[in-house]
Amino acid sequence: MSEPSDADKIRSKRLAKLQGPSSASTGEQRELAESSQARPVSRTDSPGTTDDGSRDASEAPAALEVVEAKTSAAAASSSGHPSTSLGGKPVNNTRKIVITSARAPSDSLKRKSGPSLPTESPEKNTPKRPSSAAGTGRDPLEAWEERTLRAIFRVTLDLQQEQHDAHGEPLLPLPITRAELEEQDGRPRLSVAVLDQVLLEAASDAAKKSTPLQYLLGCWKRVVRAARNYRSTGPDDPKLRILQEARRLCMSYCIFAATIPDMFGLESTNENPLIPHLLVDPDNDHGICHDFLSEAVRRFGEDETIRDALVDAIEEISRRLGGMTMADNYKPYVLAVQNAVHYAPLATALAKRPFFLPKKIAAPKIERETLLGPLFHISPVHGQVASEYFVSPKTKDERTIASIQNALRMSLHAHQADLFGIVNSILRASKEARDRVLEWFALTVNANHKRRSMRIDDRLISSDGFMINVTICLDQLCEPFMDATFSKIDRIEVDYFRRKPRIDIRDETKLNADQETADQFYSTTVAGTNNFISEVFFLTLAAHHYGTEATVTKLAQLVKNLGYLEKQKKRFEEERERYVNTPHLAAYEAQMKRYHDQIEAGLTYKLAVEGILKDELAQARSMQFMRYVMVWLLRLVDPRHAYPSQPIQLPLPSDEPDVLKCLPEYIFEDIVSTFKFIFRHIPQVMTSTQCDELVVFCITFLRTSEYIKNPYLKSGLVTIFCYGTWPTPNSRKGVLGDTLNGLPFATEHLLHAILKFYIEVETTGTHTQFFDKFHIRFEIFQVIKCIWTNTIYRERLSQEAEQNLDFFVRFVNLLLNDVTWVLDESLRAFGKIHQLQIDLLDQELAANDRTQKEEELATAEAQARSYMQLTNETVAMLKLFTEALADSFTMPEIVQRLADMLDYNVEAMVGPKKSNLKVENPEQYGFRPRVLLSELVDVYLNLSGKTAFVEAVARDGRSYKPENFESARHILTKWGLKSSEELAAWGRLAERIKQAKEADDQEEADLGEIPEDFLDPVMFSLMEDPVILPTSNVSVDRSTIRSHLLSDPNDPFNRVPLAIEDVKPNVELKAKIQAFKAERKAAKLASTSDAMDTSSG
């Protein structure tokens, strides 16, 4: 074994002195550890590490042999025990560290240092100094070196008095190092050659006041500044080499302090020494700066201990952050992680650890037991944070609430920017790190499918704040490829879900395919690998579904629950008198407090969530992403796959692409939910370009509604149009008004699309379809009102009536059905309200009966409000359409039903029973009887020029009465509801109907008794054009069966499916009816002629 170098000898002697001399006898000594227990200092433990992680040849590792010796306290004190001066306590049993050379430095350990440091031993690394004559003074370079090292490391070899540097900072005395140097050559001088001893003693001594790492980090900052500020004359500049060597050794000892703090006399603990310093501002002397991390990362190849120490520290910081909220001091923890992942090797090391992506972890644990989870967990929607911001929410006005929400959004913006920076840094670190990040995002969405359940258990899912942060981060990751020209849209893989996708859609409802069809489609794997753009695109779609949109749904349910709790609380408060002066009063008060606390908690959470969801910046990002999704879907269904560079052509092919059928339904649901929320709450974020693409998207899939299976999803497209036409401060026609009236694609296709869906929603296949259709059609009416002033749409309507007669007749029939039903239900509800209000005036009414009637009244009032809203809109639509297309409403299959409906409602409003409609405060229900009557009269006047309509009114034997027309004229005149010209027209119409009635009665009398075979079996009127139904073989009038089939596609006598094309004319019966009529008319004519002859004679 070769002799140890001088540096090894000095270091061994130094470590021995740090343990103190042993005064115990040789016989009392014994070994505490066998040679197998002696830990050799690893390469990373050696203080002689060069800048690139290598070691100088002279700094070979040494073996530590721990020896226990008994010593007395007196002996320790008399010998000036060094451990006492370093903060240790003299003890009876001390451990002496004997350092022996393990082996001679080999050539294999010699590695090249930094570019300016040759591969030499420390002695050779030390810059050559010119010799000075004895007694003639000190070398200027030596003086500069000592002065610089003293300032950097704040140490001194002058033990005569307390020393301070130029800034007044105290200098650490180094008595042991001074003694060693005096013993060696008698010249106690600071130089890089003795920096090993200096740093070991100084760091050990610093442990008395702080920690070795804290001291060394301060030294590191100073040496980095010194090296950066020094103006070098070249790579061989001796001063530069001194600074480089000082920097190298300082970093090495920082690593020792972080990985083996017991080297400096500290007791081993589970606390990672790096954590407190990572949580301090990097510019602080005690903080870990970017230069430190850069150097540490550069040494990862040769030193795994610093890598592991840093990774362990960052993971522990993340765990601690998991127990914090936005109300705590969380920023240092986020900043620490952000600083760490800035370095690709460290980010990759973090991503490769199991803590980054644990296996089989439940959704609630993701945000606390993964590296990124606690970062995304920070949000203002957590109950404690929300309650601190919104104390006593009921006492705050809207302006105060808006101010608080704005403050929350600003804090969240800053945090979300940090989150994006962290994720983006890890993604860019390496391919392996990127894949791990994508897997983590996939884990968050796949584990949270239950967030879209009907009944959500918060214990089984991740929090709203966490999922919203995930969604926002993914939205930001999509921004680079979402350019205005859609140049990268073809990079989104159509076959993503057929290439082993990260996202699990097996249990998701598909757009237009059943489970078996979808499973079969996805059972075929497509070759290739999904690119990064596709991965992020589909992850973002899933995040919206399980994140933001799930929160919107949850918020809507919370609002309903709060309303219910308020009603329960109010009802409970009214019962207080029952519990006063009873033993149950305390229980009553406790229940009232529970109601109060639940409502307060719900309100604070509601306000916090609304504050986040109404964030214009976040919603603008979301909307931009959804715009890209819409264009991608339109490009997918476009047979030429050329949209948006070329306009899409409608109608689309009837053969829907399989890839579209099998897409998860939530892709469309995300689009609908996003724009519904934006239009309802923050419409000002919409731009004209986004409006254009949204309108094209909605029209395309309403016109080709068979591409979508879910009727509610299709109705959402209508809802977008409806919300988009609501007036805003900047536009009377809403956000979409100008687009609907000005976009050529809209003027060409919108009207047909919404009328088609108006017909389609007659049967949705759901148990609530009867009421759903009225809600959907109400929204369609809002869109029609917005576009009705545009003459282009009126021309389109006339074209539809002429070119698609059957289509338009079906629409008119359904409109008439709706008007008939809602008017009837509305007037019936007011009759019930009228009677209940009279009953409640009875002061002698029993308490139970009064309560029951009050409940019935509340139900009737709610129904009346709903029905009247529908009635007002439906009658308004009837008025518009009869004005524009009178011919369509006077077709044989329509006109009689229309006349009967109008007569019945006029009878109810002006007839003998009109007083039944008088209710208290009718305005609260939207019931304006005079306005309603005026609009019904408008419908009469719109059709007054059509003989078929006049005759149909006259044939109404149930409700038509001439006196009703006179009563209506009186009301119209009294309240000034019509002009004199309109009143005159109303009078002329009444007279014409009266004459038609007289003529009809005379004709009926002339015909006398009609054979039963000639009567329509449904309407019991004389058939004009009898046809035979093919399956039941029953003869009915053509107009009767046509009218029936408009609402019911089945034979009315045996319920077998039937189309109007299937009926056969009953020529024989028609001839008999015509002969019967001719015979009766001839008989009547002959009778009249005979009577005239008799009278004249």
Side-chain angles (χ1 to χ4, degrees):
M1 181 179 295
S2 60
E3 289 296 322
S5 65
D6 291 340
D8 283 334
K9 292 178 181 178
I10 294 174
R11 187 179 301 104
S12 299
K13 188 184 299 182
R14 174 71 184 88
L15 290 174
K17 288 185 177 180
L18 282 175
Q19 286 302 116
S22 172
S23 59
S25 64
T26 305
E28 294 175 330
Q29 294 181 351
R30 63 183 181 87
E31 284 190 353
L32 294 178
E34 299 296 331
S35 60
S36 61
Q37 294 174 314
R39 183 179 65 85
V41 177
S42 67
R43 292 192 303 167
T44 57
D45 292 336
S46 172
T49 309
T50 62
D51 276 285
D52 64 350
S54 62
R55 269 151 219 86
D56 292 332
S58 63
E59 296 173 338
L64 302 183
E65 182 179 358
V66 182
V67 181
E68 180 183 81
K70 292 184 179 180
T71 182
S72 64
S77 60
S78 62
S79 62
H81 200 298
S83 66
T84 303
S85 65
L86 294 175
K89 295 181 179 179
V91 291
N92 291 333
N93 295 317
T94 63
R95 292 183 179 181
K96 182 176 182 181
I97 302 178
V98 180
I99 301 180
T100 59
S101 176
R103 56 190 173 96
S106 64
D107 293 338
S108 63
L109 287 178
K110 294 183 180 181
R111 296 183 177 87
K112 189 175 181 179
S113 180
S116 60
L117 294 177
T119 307
E120 296 176 348
S121 65
E123 289 83 349
K124 294 180 180 180
N125 260 341
T126 304
K128 298 289 185 180
R129 299 175 178 81
S131 59
S132 56
T136 61
R138 300 181 58 185
D139 185 344
L141 180 62
E142 291 181 351
W144 179 90
E145 179 181 29
E146 183 169 14
R147 185 172 63 254
T148 300
L149 294 180
R150 181 169 62 245
I152 290 173
F153 297 102
R154 291 179 179 172
V155 293
T156 180
L157 295 176
D158 186 356
L159 307 181
Q160 301 302 318
Q161 58 183 351
E162 184 178 358
Q163 298 285 331
H164 292 80
D165 64 8
H167 302 286
E169 296 291 339
L171 302 179
L172 289 173
L174 303 174
I176 299 176
T177 302
R178 179 183 178 90
E180 290 174 348
L181 293 175
E182 290 175 342
E183 180 181 342
Q184 183 180 4
D185 58 9
R187 297 183 58 197
R189 185 184 65 80
L190 285 176
S191 68
V192 292
V194 298
L195 203 51
D196 261 335
Q197 302 98 299
V198 168
L199 290 177
L200 186 59
E201 182 178 1
S204 300
D205 190 52
K208 292 186 294 182
K209 296 181 179 179
S210 56
T211 65
L213 183 57
Q214 180 172 322
Y215 163 74
L216 290 167
L217 285 174
C219 297
W220 170 259
K221 297 284 182 66
R222 291 188 290 274
V223 73
V224 167
R225 284 196 296 269
R228 183 179 295 123
N229 295 333
Y230 177 72
R231 295 184 178 181
S232 171
T233 59
D236 295 327
D237 185 342
K239 293 182 179 180
L240 176 63
R241 294 172 63 189
I242 290 171
L243 289 173
Q244 288 175 333
E245 180 68 5
R247 183 179 185 274
R248 181 185 67 80
L249 287 173
C250 183
M251 185 64 196
S252 296
Y253 274 84
C254 284
I255 294 175
F256 297 151
T259 56
I260 46 174
D262 52 337
M263 172 180 175
F264 302 93
L266 297 179
E267 295 182 1
S268 298
T269 65
N270 293 327
E271 174 75 15
N272 189 312
L274 291 169
I275 292 176
H277 303 285
L278 286 168
L279 295 176
V280 177
D281 190 303
D283 293 332
N284 187 294
D285 271 357
H286 301 157
I288 291 180
C289 62
H290 293 289
D291 292 299
F292 179 92
L293 289 174
S294 296
E295 180 66 18
V297 167
R298 196 177 63 79
R299 299 192 182 196
F300 275 9
E302 291 82 18
D303 191 348
E304 294 182 355
T305 58
I306 184 58
R307 182 196 65 192
D308 293 341
L310 282 169
V311 170
D312 289 342
I314 297 300
E315 288 183 345
E316 180 58 27
I317 286 172
S318 175
R319 291 187 183 93
R320 295 182 185 181
L321 182 61
M324 296 183 177
T325 69
M326 190 167 269
D328 299 316
N329 184 26
Y330 69 93
K331 289 290 290 182
Y333 295 81
V334 176
L335 184 62
V337 179
Q338 189 175 21
N339 290 337
V341 299
H342 179 72
Y343 303 92
L346 182 52
T348 301
L350 286 165
K352 291 167 66 174
R353 292 281 286 257
F355 184 63
F356 189 91
L357 192 68
K359 296 180 179 179
K360 297 181 180 180
I361 185 171
K365 294 183 177 181
I366 294 175
E367 52 188 303
R368 297 186 185 276
E369 297 181 14
T370 64
L371 180 74
L372 296 178
L375 297 163
F376 283 84
H377 171 76
I378 297 296
S379 172
V381 302
H382 295 140
Q384 177 186 352
V385 180
S387 60
E388 288 181 5
Y389 274 93
F390 298 99
V391 179
S392 302
K394 286 188 175 183
T395 64
K396 291 180 169 53
D397 56 28
E398 292 185 3
R399 181 175 298 181
T400 302
I401 291 173
S403 177
I404 296 173
Q405 290 175 335
N406 188 53
L408 287 177
R409 284 193 286 267
M410 292 178 65
S411 298
L412 190 58
H413 283 171
H415 179 60
Q416 289 172 344
D418 292 340
L419 293 179
F420 174 72
I422 290 169
V423 170
N424 195 40
S425 294
I426 303 176
L427 283 171
R428 294 175 180 274
S430 64
K431 183 181 183 303
E432 185 176 8
R434 183 184 68 189
D435 289 341
R436 296 280 285 181
V437 172
L438 294 176
E439 284 293 337
W440 183 84
F441 278 122
L443 172 65
T444 63
V445 296
N446 291 335
N448 279 287
H449 283 205
K450 291 183 179 180
R451 282 180 57 83
R452 299 314 301 254
S453 303
M454 294 296 292
R455 295 183 178 179
I456 300 175
D457 186 347
D458 289 338
R459 297 171 298 178
L460 303 178
I461 59 174
S462 299
S463 67
D464 292 332
F466 172 81
M467 292 302 295
I468 289 174
N469 285 337
V470 168
T471 307
I472 296 299
C473 184
L474 285 168
D475 277 340
Q476 291 175 283
L477 288 176
C478 291
E479 287 180 344
F481 63 80
M482 294 192 304
D483 59 308
T485 60
F486 301 97
S487 61
K488 298 180 181 178
I489 197 164
D490 287 332
R491 298 284 304 279
I492 300 172
E493 302 286 350
V494 173
D495 292 315
Y496 171 82
F497 289 110
R498 303 176 76 185
R499 287 180 174 163
K500 298 181 180 179
R502 302 177 195 273
I503 305 166
D504 182 9
I505 62 167
R506 288 172 296 178
D507 299 332
E508 289 296 334
T509 304
K510 306 308 183 290
L511 190 63
N512 201 16
D514 56 29
Q515 191 64 41
E516 182 180 355
T517 303
D519 290 344
Q520 183 177 359
F521 177 76
Y522 287 120
S523 63
T524 304
T525 303
V526 177
T529 304
N530 291 318
N531 57 50
F532 178 75
I533 289 178
S534 298
E535 295 277 14
V536 176
F537 179 81
F538 287 101
L539 279 170
T540 308
L541 277 171
H544 272 275
H545 182 62
Y546 301 113
T548 306
E549 309 312 327
T551 304
V552 171
T553 303
K554 185 177 178 182
L555 177 62
Q557 186 59 48
L558 175 62
V559 172
K560 293 180 180 178
N561 293 343
L562 286 173
Y564 173 78
L565 284 173
E566 289 284 5
K567 290 180 180 178
Q568 290 294 102
K569 180 184 176 184
K570 183 178 179 181
R571 185 176 301 175
F572 202 55
E573 285 175 340
E574 293 172 352
E575 298 179 359
R576 180 180 180 82
E577 293 182 0
R578 294 174 50 189
Y579 298 96
V580 176
N581 299 325
T582 68
H584 304 293
L585 181 61
Y588 171 86
E589 296 290 352
Q591 180 62 35
M592 282 298 299
K593 185 177 185 304
R594 280 192 291 270
Y595 276 130
H596 178 271
D597 292 344
Q598 286 179 341
I599 292 172
E600 288 276 305
L603 280 174
T604 56
Y605 188 80
K606 169 181 172 289
L607 293 173
V609 171
E610 285 180 341
I612 294 178
L613 293 178
K614 293 180 183 179
D615 179 7
E616 293 187 12
L617 176 61
Q619 289 296 349
R621 284 199 188 104
S622 176
M623 185 173 55
Q624 180 68 11
F625 173 73
M626 291 304 164
R627 176 195 179 206
Y628 213 77
V629 178
M630 290 188 298
V631 172
W632 181 75
L633 289 170
L634 289 170
R635 194 177 182 87
L636 181 62
V637 299
D638 182 4
R640 299 171 299 173
H641 304 295
Y643 186 83
S645 58
Q646 298 179 28
I648 196 166
Q649 300 295 322
L650 296 183
L652 295 177
S654 58
D655 187 15
E656 181 179 2
D658 289 339
V659 67
L660 180 70
K661 288 181 180 179
C662 297
L663 283 177
E665 189 179 85
Y666 66 67
I667 294 181
F668 271 73
E669 191 175 348
D670 287 353
I671 296 171
V672 171
S673 180
T674 297
F675 284 101
K676 281 169 62 176
F677 186 87
I678 289 173
F679 283 157
R680 192 166 187 176
H681 299 288
I682 46 175
Q684 64 271 16
V685 302
M686 285 291 293
T687 65
S688 59
T689 304
Q690 291 162 338
C691 289
D692 290 353
E693 283 147 0
L694 178 62
V695 167
V696 172
F697 176 82
C698 293
I699 291 175
T700 298
F701 286 101
L702 281 174
R703 181 72 186 270
T704 321
S705 57
E706 56 272 16
Y707 276 24
I708 305 173
K709 179 173 57 177
N710 188 343
Y712 295 115
L713 200 56
K714 290 182 276 192
S715 69
L717 302 176
V718 176
T719 303
I720 289 175
F721 280 147
C722 176
Y723 288 0
T725 58
W726 283 356
T728 65
N730 299 323
S731 176
R732 185 175 58 85
K733 291 187 176 181
V735 178
L736 293 181
D738 292 339
T739 304
L740 295 178
N741 283 284
L743 186 67
F745 187 87
T747 56
E748 183 177 357
H749 300 291
L750 173 62
L751 196 58
H752 183 91
I754 59 178
L755 294 184
K756 177 177 181 288
F757 194 60
Y758 187 102
I759 296 170
E760 184 179 332
V761 296
E762 181 69 17
T763 54
T764 61
T766 64
H767 67 283
T768 59
Q769 66 179 14
F770 183 77
F771 297 99
D772 291 340
K773 69 180 182 182
F774 288 109
H775 176 74
I776 295 169
R777 288 169 177 170
F778 172 84
E779 294 182 335
I780 290 175
F781 293 153
Q782 309 311 305
V783 181
I784 292 175
K785 285 197 298 185
C786 175
I787 64 177
W788 193 251
T789 56
N790 191 332
T791 56
I792 298 177
Y793 281 108
R794 294 191 183 189
E795 293 171 1
R796 291 288 180 193
L797 187 63
S798 298
Q799 292 174 8
E800 290 287 349
E802 293 174 3
Q803 299 171 3
N804 300 307
L805 181 60
D806 289 342
F807 170 83
F808 195 73
V809 168
R810 290 181 64 195
F811 164 71
V812 170
N813 177 72
L814 293 174
L815 175 63
L816 188 56
N817 287 347
D818 292 349
V819 174
T820 303
W821 189 83
V822 296
L823 267 172
D824 187 52
E825 291 297 319
S826 297
L827 300 182
R828 185 181 302 173
F830 288 120
K832 187 174 183 179
I833 292 172
H834 172 77
Q835 186 58 49
L836 287 169
Q837 288 177 344
I838 292 175
D839 293 344
L840 289 171
L841 293 176
D842 186 0
Q843 299 298 325
E844 297 181 359
L845 193 65
N848 291 339
D849 293 339
R850 181 174 294 278
T851 300
Q852 181 179 354
K853 288 186 179 295
E854 287 175 347
E855 292 176 355
E856 291 179 5
L857 178 61
T859 302
E861 288 178 335
Q863 291 176 344
R865 276 189 288 269
S866 176
Y867 291 148
M868 274 312 302
Q869 188 179 31
L870 290 171
T871 297
N872 293 332
E873 295 298 331
T874 310
V875 171
M877 286 300 102
L878 182 63
K879 175 184 171 182
L880 292 178
F881 282 114
T882 53
E883 179 184 14
L885 300 168
D887 289 336
S888 300
F889 287 87
T890 54
M891 291 181 290
E893 55 266 41
I894 296 293
V895 67
Q896 191 59 57
R897 293 180 55 238
L898 174 58
D900 292 347
M901 180 273 294
L902 292 172
D903 291 342
Y904 174 79
N905 287 288
V906 170
E907 163 79 6
M909 299 186 71
V910 303
K913 297 182 179 180
K914 63 181 180 181
S915 59
N916 292 341
L917 301 180
K918 290 184 177 180
V919 296
E920 298 176 2
N921 191 16
E923 293 291 335
Q924 67 173 316
Y925 313 110
F927 181 38
R928 298 180 295 275
R930 290 190 291 273
V931 175
L932 181 58
L933 175 63
S934 177
E935 292 192 332
L936 291 176
V937 168
D938 284 336
V939 176
Y940 276 100
L941 295 177
N942 289 341
L943 303 175
S944 61
K946 303 299 178 181
T947 302
F949 175 71
V950 173
E951 293 175 347
V953 175
R955 283 196 299 266
D956 179 12
R958 181 184 66 164
S959 302
Y960 168 69
K961 297 179 180 65
E963 54 269 27
N964 289 341
F965 279 73
E966 180 59 29
S967 298
R969 186 195 65 79
H970 175 73
I971 294 173
L972 295 173
T973 303
K974 178 181 178 181
W975 297 101
L977 300 174
K978 295 297 178 187
S979 66
S980 58
E981 291 81 5
E982 291 171 322
L983 289 172
W986 179 251
R988 290 193 297 270
L989 175 61
E991 184 60 29
R992 288 178 58 200
I993 294 173
K994 183 178 179 180
Q995 293 174 0
K997 174 63 174 173
E998 292 172 354
D1000 188 67
D1001 290 345
Q1002 184 61 49
E1003 182 180 359
E1004 185 176 350
D1006 292 344
L1007 291 175
E1009 185 176 352
I1010 302 173
E1012 186 174 348
D1013 292 344
F1014 297 173
L1015 293 175
D1016 184 279
V1018 177
M1019 304 301 294
F1020 297 101
S1021 58
L1022 181 64
M1023 291 186 282
E1024 297 290 338
D1025 184 13
V1027 293
I1028 302 172
L1029 306 184
T1031 57
S1032 63
N1033 205 34
V1034 176
S1035 293
V1036 297
D1037 194 77
R1038 184 183 296 274
S1039 63
T1040 301
I1041 192 61
R1042 182 185 289 275
S1043 177
H1044 169 81
L1045 292 176
L1046 291 174
S1047 303
D1048 186 351
N1050 299 309
D1051 187 317
F1053 300 99
N1054 61 9
R1055 307 304 300 160
V1056 174
L1058 176 66
I1060 192 63
E1061 294 80 8
D1062 299 331
V1063 302
K1064 299 177 181 179
N1066 193 333
V1067 179
E1068 181 182 354
L1069 181 58
K1070 184 176 182 180
K1072 290 180 181 181
I1073 293 173
Q1074 290 175 345
F1076 168 75
K1077 292 171 66 177
E1079 177 187 346
R1080 291 302 175 90
K1081 286 182 179 180
K1084 175 62 177 176
L1085 183 60
S1087 172
T1088 304
S1089 179
D1090 291 343
M1092 290 177 63
D1093 290 343
T1094 302
S1095 62
S1096 62

